[in-house]
Amino acid sequence: TAPQCCELPHTPIVGGSARVQRQGQMLVYQCPAGQFPYPTPIRECRSNSQWSPLRAPGGRPLAKAECRAIQCPGPLEFDNGHFHPRQPRYNISQTLTFECFEGYTLRGPHNRTCLPNGKWSGGTAICDDGEGQCPDPGVPIGATKDGQLYRVEDRVRYRCGRGLVMFGSKERTCQESGAWSGTQPECRDPSTYDTPEEVSSAFIASLSETVEVDRSSGGAENVKRKIVIEAGGSMNIYLVLDASDSVGEGNFSRARDVLVQLIEKISSYGVFPRYGVLTFATDPHVVVSTVNAQSSDADWVSTKLGDLKYESHALRSGTNTKAALEAVHNMIIEQEQDEIRKGHKVAPVANSTRHVLVLMTDGNTNMGGSPMPVVRQIRELLSIGRDIRNPREDYLDIYVFGIGAMVNAENIAELASKKSGEKHVFHMQDIRDLQKAFHDMIGTGNPGSLRDPDLSPHAPLSLQRPGKGLESCKGALISEYFVLTAAHCFDIDDQAHWITVDVGEPDAGVLCLARVLWSHPQYNIGKLRGAGIPEFYDYDVALVKLTTKIKFSFNARPICLPCTEGTTRALRKPHPETTCNDHKRLLLTVGEVPALFVHEGKKKLERKHVNIKNGVKKSACEADAKKAPIYANVTDVKQVVTPRFLCTGGIDPVVDPNTCKGDSGGPLIIAKGKRYIQVGVISWGVFDVCKAPSRRAPAHARDFHLNLFTVLPWLRDKLAEEELGFI
Ligand SMILES: *[C@@H]1O[C@H](CO)[C@@H](O)[C@H](O)[C@H]1NC(C)=O
Ligand SMILES: *[C@@H]1O[C@H](CO)[C@@H](O)[C@H](O)[C@H]1NC(C)=O
Ligand SMILES: *[C@@H]1O[C@H](CO)[C@@H](O)[C@H](O)[C@H]1NC(C)=O
Ligand SMILES: *[C@@H]1O[C@H](CO)[C@@H](O)[C@H](O)[C@H]1NC(C)=O
Ligand SMILES: *[C@@H]1O[C@H](CO)[C@@H](O)[C@H](O)[C@H]1NC(C)=O
């Protein structure tokens, strides 16, 4: 039974505004940028129909809330050195300078600056004499430390100053490895939020890349951890999404899309975990169970997640994290039983599977009771922390993303894993910041303003022969130095330095000069002239090497080539087991293969979706080549349509758009999720639709593309130094 609604207070907040949320049960204060609501961002409606009282961090009652300037907390303790200036709190952009007493060496920064979100730049400054078996763990700003001995098994305990919330470990133990257990604590003001930049770098570092443990955080040098699936091991990733009423439909779908991107990112590392997807409000709802055979099919899971409706929860008033974690616990047990039924001898899920939980919430994670007992149950189930010599901490990671003022920072900090040099808890101001963090992380940038990934390899080429007009072709960026294009764009005696390549944004791109031009050695346009066939496009492929290295950006990114490790990852197949033939089988399936090419319209790049005819419709497609004006003398179509071409165009099964002369040299692309693989180079067509007065193409308008699978030895040879990871 919810308490009766409270009324909006007469003076909501000095210098800011207030909103009532959660059906009148929560009062949320808002302040202008650079300020925060003091003493609290939220008040709850109590059973006496009064808002929870306002109290200063010391407990003293306050008459009204006010917006205060964001400041950084001051150091409470600094061992073996001194710092200046000394103040209780610091204004944004103020600098703190640290110095050590003689005999002590400074680890960490000499100067730290107060950042706009109320955090200090850099890591903790520590004055260490190097005497301990573990390095001096230091005292983070805003904290005090108990424990001065740093021998194996010694402990240090931390407390945060008044009004500050601890993220990280309250207690750390010096381990035999010479590293401290847990993660360095951080004492934050409850109004401090992580910026998207901080989240994307810290989360991705922790999740997937190797982490160079910052020496100041008390870790051993260069401890590296990576999400790797060991041979015989496997990984489960549980995506747990808050769907309570405070989230609202718009924000729910944003959070859901962020998780879809996360799946994409994980697949791009060539990791193929099983996914569990749950939403929760008052009750949990399992969307995808790890028991499901398709739970390791990232595309399928993404689709299930993408189709998820906010309305699927009937009771949504609470944020019952405990119940959500219980559902994860049950899923692990169920999967275990399922595997054992299938004949596995040892506990495969509890013993050799790594479990990664990603929880997103905007509410009070402790509604329904503290979830910590369930975390302990899961740890118990996975035998974590039982054996000191083999604590198995790697087998469970809990990441928590708390969004907005209603999140209790202390609760999410408690729930998240604490690991040396890593960050598992993030408190962000709003969902837009979370979206931005994931966009940064995934490298798609800000959608809309930047070029889409299938357009970014687009590289127009211009050829300026001395005394002649400018000619143009298209190409695709395939590495830092190379652009792949068609050989027919050039004459045999063309010089590389006559070619310029435009990389990046249309009109604002980077012009690069070519250094080397290699056409395929078997390309010979005049080969069949003796038979009355004026042009012959077999092996119509060329590589242009640039004089300068291209700096990849959102607008200039390379496309994947077939038979490279990148494509294995894009296809979500294991490396190195996946072969070049597998790529061919998976990309050029029998039948109609959806593909796309990019057409540069008036100041705009347009995607054109076509079907490669690779089944019963292939011979009809190829037969239309005889209708090309230049091939009037062709008797057998196989003379000009060699096995090196892919055929698109026509009206069967659907009308395909056609290429124009200016599209020559551009890539024919197959999309796999958000990854793009080039399978062909646009070579020649039966009918130039751009020259037709009506711009209407007849049914026999077909296009031919050089099939890259047929020129791989040449590509491998010429691109040997590009580290494209050819398989
Ligand atoms: C901090 O800012 C306040 C006003 O915002 C100002 O009165 C005070 O002098 C500043 N303190 C320092 C040390 O700059
Ligand atoms: C630290 O800041 C002081 C001024 O506050 C400056 O003089 C000094 O050069 C800085 N030192 C470093 C290492 O940046
Ligand atoms: C999303 O959440 C923000 C607060 O983080 C809120 O201001 C906004 O109204 C919400 N949007 C929707 C569509 O619910
Ligand atoms: C996990 O596997 C190890 C051997 O790798 C074995 O000693 C241990 O008993 C197993 N634990 C469980 C819970 O099955
Ligand atoms: C066909 O061949 C004849 C004789 O070789 C030649 O004169 C004619 O130009 C050719 N037609 C085309 C379209 O090339």
Side-chain angles (χ1 to χ4, degrees):
T1 52
Q4 288 299 305
C5 297
C6 299
E7 280 177 40
L8 203 63
H10 282 303
T11 17
I13 180 166
V14 179
S17 61
R19 272 184 312 154
V20 175
Q21 290 195 343
R22 284 195 187 242
Q23 293 145 359
Q25 290 179 47
M26 198 83 90
L27 183 69
V28 182
Y29 289 132
Q30 279 175 315
C31 287
Q35 298 186 14
F36 72 98
Y38 175 87
T40 175
I42 51 162
R43 293 171 76 181
E44 280 167 47
C45 189
R46 292 281 166 88
S47 48
N48 59 0
S49 296
Q50 299 288 314
W51 293 108
S52 49
L54 289 172
R55 289 190 191 283
R60 183 171 52 89
L62 293 174
K64 52 195 170 194
E66 62 183 44
C67 288
R68 287 193 170 179
I70 291 177
Q71 289 183 309
C72 287
L76 298 178
E77 201 180 298
F78 183 62
D79 294 343
N80 312 317
H82 46 78
F83 64 89
H84 69 269
R86 283 178 171 271
Q87 291 166 215
R89 301 185 73 79
Y90 296 77
N91 289 350
I92 291 166
S93 25
Q94 259 193 289
T95 299
L96 259 177
T97 300
F98 299 89
E99 258 158 280
C100 294
F101 297 146
E102 226 175 286
Y104 293 88
T105 316
L106 179 72
R107 269 205 342 260
H110 185 63
N111 285 343
R112 298 182 73 180
T113 307
C114 176
L115 301 175
N117 61 350
K119 291 199 217 176
W120 289 100
S121 67
T124 302
I126 300 167
C127 295
D128 196 354
D129 59 5
E131 296 289 299
Q133 279 167 295
C134 281
D136 187 329
V139 192
I141 289 181
T144 56
K145 170 170 78 59
D146 282 337
Q148 301 293 334
L149 297 173
Y150 312 139
R151 298 161 314 193
V152 171
E153 310 241 326
D154 279 338
R155 276 162 205 240
V156 291
R157 287 186 186 84
Y158 292 95
R159 261 191 302 248
C160 284
R162 191 179 271 178
L164 302 178
V165 177
M166 184 176 291
F167 278 33
S169 304
K170 288 186 178 66
E171 191 177 287
R172 305 184 78 185
T173 307
C174 176
Q175 297 167 310
E176 248 167 87
S177 62
W180 291 96
S181 67
T183 181
Q184 190 181 50
E186 187 188 338
C187 292
R188 328 192 355 167
D189 206 289
S191 61
T192 290
Y193 295 107
D194 292 305
T195 63
E197 295 73 28
E198 287 170 329
V199 173
S200 62
S201 63
F203 179 59
I204 205 63
S206 179
L207 185 70
S208 58
E209 312 270 51
T210 54
V211 203
E212 308 267 343
V213 171
D214 174 10
R215 287 221 59 185
S216 65
S217 67
E221 259 184 276
N222 292 341
V223 174
K224 290 191 176 168
R225 198 172 89 92
K226 204 178 188 180
I227 289 200
V228 277
I229 301 191
E230 292 162 353
S234 59
M235 179 160 67
N236 281 1
I237 296 184
Y238 308 92
L239 306 174
V240 185
L241 187 58
D242 188 347
S244 61
D245 56 2
S246 62
V247 177
E249 186 159 7
N251 287 338
F252 175 79
S253 49
R254 289 198 181 102
R256 186 191 61 197
D257 294 346
V258 161
L259 291 176
V260 170
Q261 287 182 323
L262 177 61
I263 295 178
E264 189 64 42
K265 179 72 182 176
I266 290 166
S267 309
S268 76
Y269 286 113
V271 176
F272 306 96
R274 281 176 179 273
Y275 288 97
V277 179
L278 297 94
T279 59
F280 69 106
T282 309
D283 293 310
H285 169 66
V286 176
V287 180
V288 173
S289 166
T290 50
V291 178
N292 191 310
Q294 278 173 288
S295 66
S296 58
D297 177 343
D299 281 331
W300 183 80
V301 176
S302 291
T303 310
K304 292 286 279 186
L305 189 56
D307 289 347
L308 206 60
K309 294 281 180 296
Y310 177 64
E311 302 88 52
S312 59
H313 277 274
L315 262 177
R316 52 170 70 258
S317 55
T319 299
N320 193 341
T321 312
K322 185 180 180 191
L325 292 190
E326 274 164 356
V328 171
H329 182 242
N330 292 342
M331 214 186 270
I332 299 174
I333 293 174
E334 202 186 323
Q335 192 190 345
E336 187 86 288
Q337 286 165 348
D338 188 59
E339 297 281 331
I340 289 169
R341 259 201 307 277
K342 286 184 193 150
H344 285 275
K345 278 188 241 43
V346 289
V349 184
N351 210 356
S352 58
T353 301
R354 285 159 197 271
H355 300 262
V356 178
L357 215 141
V358 179
L359 184 106
M360 282 187 188
T361 178
D362 79 334
N364 182 350
T365 49
N366 279 13
M367 234 170 236
S370 168
M372 290 316 290
V374 190
V375 172
R376 281 191 283 277
Q377 276 176 22
I378 295 176
R379 285 172 63 90
E380 187 63 24
L381 183 64
L382 306 179
S383 319
I384 295 173
R386 221 189 264 160
D387 180 354
I388 298 173
R389 280 156 309 167
N390 180 20
R392 289 173 50 88
E393 290 287 348
D394 274 359
Y395 284 82
L396 180 67
D397 282 281
I398 302 179
Y399 294 94
V400 187
F401 291 85
I403 319 292
M406 272 190 253
V407 165
N408 182 317
E410 228 156 324
N411 291 347
I412 61 168
E414 187 183 20
L415 186 57
S417 299
K418 290 153 193 85
K419 299 192 179 184
S420 182
E422 292 179 43
K423 221 178 135 158
H424 284 72
V425 56
F426 303 96
H427 190 190
M428 306 191 79
Q429 189 150 19
D430 56 38
I431 196 88
R432 278 166 217 275
D433 279 356
L434 181 74
Q435 272 185 304
K436 181 159 190 322
F438 275 69
H439 276 301
D440 290 354
M441 198 172 85
I442 316 279
T444 51
N446 180 6
S449 75
L450 292 159
R451 215 193 259 196
D452 293 326
D454 52 338
L455 301 180
S456 61
H458 180 80
L461 279 83
S462 312
L463 180 69
Q464 177 81 72
R465 298 190 180 100
K468 301 264 178 65
L470 203 63
E471 286 188 40
S472 71
C473 251
K474 298 295 181 290
L477 190 58
I478 54 167
S479 77
E480 284 165 321
Y481 277 107
F482 279 93
V483 171
L484 185 62
T485 183
H488 80 257
C489 294
F490 313 103
D491 286 343
I492 189 130
D493 42 11
D494 279 343
Q495 308 279 308
H497 65 262
W498 297 346
I499 306 165
T500 48
V501 181
D502 189 351
V503 187
E505 195 78 346
D507 302 328
V510 187
L511 278 184
C512 298
L513 221 59
R515 183 197 295 280
V516 182
L517 166 63
W518 285 314
S519 289
H520 195 284
Q522 279 158 282
Y523 169 75
N524 179 0
I525 191 147
K527 193 175 174 186
L528 304 181
R529 264 180 210 146
I533 299 169
E535 293 167 22
F536 180 50
Y537 290 96
D538 205 7
Y539 295 101
D540 185 12
V541 59
L543 280 164
V544 171
K545 184 174 184 180
L546 306 173
T547 48
T548 42
K549 185 165 163 172
I550 294 167
K551 205 166 156 271
F552 292 151
S553 68
F554 294 131
N555 297 320
R557 267 177 296 172
I559 195 160
C560 290
L561 291 183
C563 304
T564 58
E565 278 172 43
T567 294
T568 298
R569 281 200 297 276
L571 292 169
R572 298 180 170 134
K573 292 292 165 209
H575 177 75
E577 298 91 315
T578 308
T579 63
C580 189
N581 266 334
D582 292 333
H583 284 191
K584 192 170 170 185
R585 193 171 42 77
L586 291 162
L587 288 165
L588 298 176
T589 49
V590 174
E592 276 70 65
V593 183
L596 65 94
F597 68 89
V598 176
H599 172 72
E600 197 170 326
K602 284 194 178 66
K603 295 205 162 202
K604 210 172 112 229
L605 297 179
E606 298 163 24
R607 276 179 211 92
K608 302 274 191 180
H609 295 273
V610 293
N611 285 290
I612 302 171
K613 276 62 176 183
N614 200 35
V616 291
K617 300 191 180 4
K618 183 174 176 168
S619 54
C621 194
E622 295 184 347
D624 283 334
K626 281 170 85 172
K627 298 186 178 137
I630 51 165
Y631 291 152
N633 287 336
V634 168
T635 47
D636 179 1
V637 77
K638 292 214 161 23
Q639 283 178 281
V640 290
V641 183
T642 65
R644 275 150 304 270
F645 290 105
L646 298 170
C647 189
T648 66
I651 57 169
D652 182 24
V654 289
V655 178
D656 271 0
N658 289 100
T659 63
C660 293
K661 222 170 175 59
D663 298 325
S664 279
L668 182 70
I669 302 166
I670 291 180
K672 287 284 164 190
K674 290 197 174 63
R675 320 265 295 168
Y676 298 87
I677 302 148
Q678 179 171 5
V679 291
V681 175
I682 299 174
S683 180
W684 55 282
V686 172
F687 182 86
D688 191 349
V689 66
C690 293
K691 290 232 180 77
S694 64
R695 294 222 154 205
R696 294 263 292 277
H700 67 259
R702 308 285 194 170
D703 294 307
F704 293 85
H705 316 269
L706 183 103
N707 180 347
L708 289 183
F709 280 101
T710 64
V711 291
L712 276 164
W714 177 74
L715 287 173
R716 277 201 186 93
D717 174 42
K718 295 296 179 203
L719 299 169
E721 281 165 26
E722 295 304 290
E723 295 183 352
L724 292 177
F726 277 106
I727 55 174

